[in-house]
Structures are given as C-alpha cells and as structure tokens.
Amino acid sequence: MAIEQTLIIVKPDGLVKSLTGNILSRLSEAKLIIVGAKAVRVSRELASTHYEHLIDKPFFQELIDYIMGKLHGGNRVVAFVYQGENAIQRIRDIVGHTDPEKANPVSIRGAYGRITTSGVFENVVHASSSPEDAEKEIKLWFQPSELVEDIYPVKETVVKEMKTLVWA
Ligand code: IDP
Ligand code: MG
C-alpha cells in the first residue's frame, strides 16, 4: 500500500459550528500523521484555483463565496496535511459522500452537513480525492517550509527585495 498525503480543510461552516475538534477526533481514527497545519484567510484567487475543475457548474460562484467564508461571516478555514498508508481513501471514507443527504449518517458530512436552499452542499470539510489532486492542492495551500516532511521535490531559490512582515 502506498504512503500518500491528503489535504483536509475545515470549511467555514465547520468553524462556525465549532466542529474542528470533533472532525480531528474522527480523522484520528485513520491513524495517520499530521505533517502540516494552519489557519488560512481564503482569497478569491486561492478559492478559484482550488475549485477550478468546477468552474462550469451552476453553483461555482456560491461555492467560492462559501469557501471564502462569505456565507458564514468569516474569512478563514483551517487546513491540514495528513500522511500515511492509503491516506486519501481512508480519509474520504471517514468524511463521507459529497452530498450530505447521500453521505453515511455516521460520516462527518452525513452527521454535520446540509444542503442550503440555494443548492450548495455545505459539507463541513474538504478532503483530496486522488494523489494528483492531493499534490496540486497541497502545493497550492502550503509552502515547503510549512510542512515537517519533504513530501515533494524542492529547489532552492533566492528571493530578492520581497516585502514581508516580521514581528515588530
Ligand atoms: P468533494 O468535495 O467531495 O471532492 P467536488 O465534486 O470536488 O466534491 O466538489 C467540491 C465542493 O463543491 C463539494 O464539497 C461541495 O461543497 C460542492 N458541490 C459539489 N457538487 C455539488 C452539487 O452538485 N451541488 C452543490 N454543491 C456541490
Ligand atoms: Mg473534490
């Protein structure tokens, strides 16, 4: 069985409903290790790139607003990278079906998700669905220095005159 990595995001409805602890407890059943974790302010650009495969769907704009927190009065999510054998499928099994009404009632989405009247599936968490998606998503959401293992090849680069914030 291959060692895989997978990106998990606690979506804004998961944060508003104070479900992060429950979600992490459920995910811990998979006996995987966390190699990255952070809170993220989701820009429109990040949201659109993350969901670019759904750009033609009628719910795309609402989906972008949803992941940006605009439906829940926040602008943040919490993101994790988990690693371990068969990590992608094992996490997807715990997370459940995309549609909360089709999800196993004991899965995270089955227990906590809902369908809004305007139709977007508010399903509490994101989880990568293939090794290709996981690599794209992890590289989108995390820099190499934010992970405690070198899971993909890296290269050194010199960044000149880059404006950044340091502690005052
Ligand atoms: P996934 O999150 O289970 O991988 P995707 O097809 O990648 O499912 O869709 C991304 C997100 O878009 C879903 O988690 C859900 O929030 C939303 N979504 C997907 N399909 C639908 C739909 O048919 N109606 C409403 N929202 C949807
Ligand atoms: Mg997906």
Side-chain angles (χ1 to χ4, degrees):
M1 212 55 94
I3 298 289
E4 294 174 338
Q5 295 79 29
T6 185
L7 179 79
I8 313 297
I9 299 170
V10 180
K11 295 183 178 181
D13 51 327
L15 289 181
V16 162
K17 292 174 179 174
S18 206
L19 289 171
T20 307
N22 303 45
I23 290 165
L24 294 182
S25 296
R26 294 297 313 279
L27 296 180
S28 69
E29 292 163 18
K31 305 263 184 286
L32 303 168
I33 58 168
I34 293 172
V35 296
K38 63 175 178 177
V40 183
R41 280 189 283 231
V42 184
S43 68
R44 188 163 294 277
E45 186 188 1
L46 174 59
S48 304
T49 308
H50 179 74
Y51 282 132
E52 64 188 0
H53 61 293
L54 297 170
I55 193 153
D56 295 330
K57 301 286 186 190
F59 55 83
F60 182 74
Q61 282 312 326
E62 195 183 358
L63 179 61
I64 298 305
D65 286 347
Y66 167 35
I67 197 73
M68 289 179 72
K70 292 185 180 299
L71 310 181
H72 296 91
N75 68 340
R76 69 205 58 196
V77 299
V78 187
F80 300 89
V81 178
Y82 278 75
Q83 174 173 283
E85 270 187 17
N86 206 16
I88 293 168
Q89 191 56 50
R90 284 164 67 194
I91 292 285
R92 290 285 299 197
D93 289 347
I94 296 168
V95 163
H97 194 282
T98 304
D99 179 344
E101 286 192 356
K102 291 189 183 146
N104 186 323
V106 301
S107 68
I108 293 170
R109 287 170 166 179
Y112 302 121
R114 69 174 196 139
I115 301 177
T116 63
T117 45
S118 56
V120 78
F121 298 159
E122 285 188 12
N123 53 16
V124 183
V125 278
H126 168 81
S128 306
S129 51
S130 70
E132 296 72 32
D133 283 356
E135 180 172 349
K136 182 202 136 189
E137 293 170 358
I138 291 166
K139 288 179 173 175
L140 178 64
W141 288 81
F142 285 85
Q143 295 300 320
S145 60
E146 295 175 314
L147 301 177
V148 295
E149 300 208 19
D150 297 332
I151 58 180
Y152 305 119
V154 293
K155 62 180 181 184
E156 285 189 340
T157 185
V158 177
V159 181
K160 285 187 189 147
E161 293 190 24
M162 188 182 76
K163 201 188 260 187
T164 187
L165 295 178
V166 295
W167 303 120

